[in-house]
Amino acid sequence: MKKRDYKKEFSTLIDKFAYRYSRWQVWNDFLSLSALSLANVMPGPENGEREEQYLSIMDSYQKEDQEAFPKMLGLVVLALEENPEQDFLGSLYHYLDLQQEQKGQFFTPYHICECMSELQFTGDEKAEKLEEKGCISVNDPACGAGAMLIAFANVAKRHGINYQKHVLFVAQDIDRTAAMMCYIQMSLLGCPAIVVIGDSLAKPFPHPDNEVWCTLFYHLNQWRFTTG
């Protein structure tokens, strides 16, 4: 049975907007709509504001165009379900030729991230810390679409660590587009994650000027990380 080409299907959906909107606008609106939907799964004081943002973005599109956005998110869900060991949105970003070379953006290939993550598990330090505190943490101050963190999650799983319960992921990026990609993938993969939009050098997390997004699994496991 031939595998579905999720990138091609996604590209086809975006191209339906081509005569009215730029790919860049549709891409960023897709990220915002998806992130807002995922964030509002958990009740909180920001739900109302996020719902207003969601409706404002949707209202800027015609009805037939609005129907494409949940289909796009569905393709991302299917791609990650079929193969969780990948940076799907990062590779899709390049596939759609949206990378901003003038900003020096280059997303590290997944296999390199996997190798670097595997190096973090040499020795018994991770196992000892997990046994002592009940959790371990990983931080990427220039997270991009989250490839390094996705690789760490998968490597942790191979080493017998349930990352959905015992790993705290902290991600930060100065670029909002990149951070939103990371947040969506961390959410869909069930990672307890804090994703921060802000300058890691000038305003490292936690900083009052940071914009912070927390995944559902972070909220579900917050007690574990605050008491560990």
Side-chain angles (χ1 to χ4, degrees):
M1 184 176 178
K2 186 178 179 180
K3 286 187 176 181
R4 292 176 62 177
D5 189 338
Y6 296 110
K7 293 177 187 175
K8 186 175 181 180
E9 291 184 42
F10 195 103
S11 179
T12 300
L13 285 173
I14 274 200
D15 285 342
K16 291 181 179 179
F17 296 78
Y19 63 100
R20 284 195 292 269
Y21 312 96
S22 70
R23 268 189 172 190
W24 180 249
Q25 180 182 348
V26 176
W27 175 256
N28 277 285
D29 286 341
F30 158 72
L31 295 178
S32 294
L33 290 168
S34 299
L36 289 165
S37 297
L38 292 166
N40 265 16
V41 169
M42 191 74 184
E46 297 175 323
N47 285 46
E49 181 181 349
R50 285 174 173 166
E51 182 67 18
E52 289 180 6
Q53 292 176 14
Y54 182 94
L55 293 174
S56 177
I57 295 170
M58 271 297 195
D59 287 344
S60 68
Y61 289 89
Q62 297 181 13
K63 186 175 180 180
E64 62 269 25
D65 297 332
Q66 295 175 359
E67 296 171 354
F69 288 107
K71 293 179 182 178
M72 291 178 189
L73 181 57
L75 290 172
V76 178
V77 172
L78 290 173
L80 290 174
E81 282 184 348
E82 185 176 293
N83 178 21
E85 297 192 26
Q86 63 168 326
D87 173 15
F88 179 73
L89 286 180
S91 61
L92 178 60
Y93 186 65
H94 284 273
Y95 179 86
L96 296 172
D97 199 27
L98 294 170
Q99 70 272 21
Q100 304 229 3
E101 295 178 1
Q102 69 273 22
K103 290 185 179 179
Q105 284 187 329
F106 177 77
F107 293 164
T108 306
Y110 183 81
H111 68 278
I112 295 177
C113 295
E114 188 175 36
C115 178
M116 294 173 69
S117 295
E118 191 66 55
L119 291 174
Q120 300 303 310
F121 283 84
T122 55
D124 299 324
E125 181 183 348
K126 294 286 187 299
E128 291 175 359
K129 187 172 182 180
L130 181 60
E131 186 175 348
E132 177 188 349
K133 295 189 174 183
C135 66
I136 58 176
S137 62
V138 57
N139 186 315
D140 189 345
C143 64
M148 191 71 69
L149 300 176
I150 295 170
F152 189 93
N154 285 300
V155 171
K157 183 178 179 180
R158 288 202 292 272
H159 282 265
I161 297 175
N162 184 341
Y163 69 83
Q164 294 183 330
K165 289 185 177 181
H166 300 294
V167 181
L168 172 61
F169 300 83
V170 180
Q172 185 162 348
D173 205 288
I174 195 171
D175 183 74
R176 182 182 181 83
T177 299
M180 288 292 94
M181 285 191 274
C182 182
Y183 176 76
I184 292 166
Q185 295 195 120
M186 291 284 98
S187 295
L188 295 178
L189 291 169
C191 296
I194 301 170
V195 180
V196 183
I197 303 172
D199 189 332
S200 297
L201 294 177
K203 299 176 180 179
F205 176 77
H207 190 283
D209 291 343
N210 293 150
E211 182 180 347
V212 180
W213 293 69
C214 298
T215 64
L216 173 62
F217 272 71
Y218 170 78
H219 289 293
L220 294 177
N221 289 280
Q222 189 173 5
W223 64 271
R224 191 188 310 275
F225 303 129
T226 55
T227 60

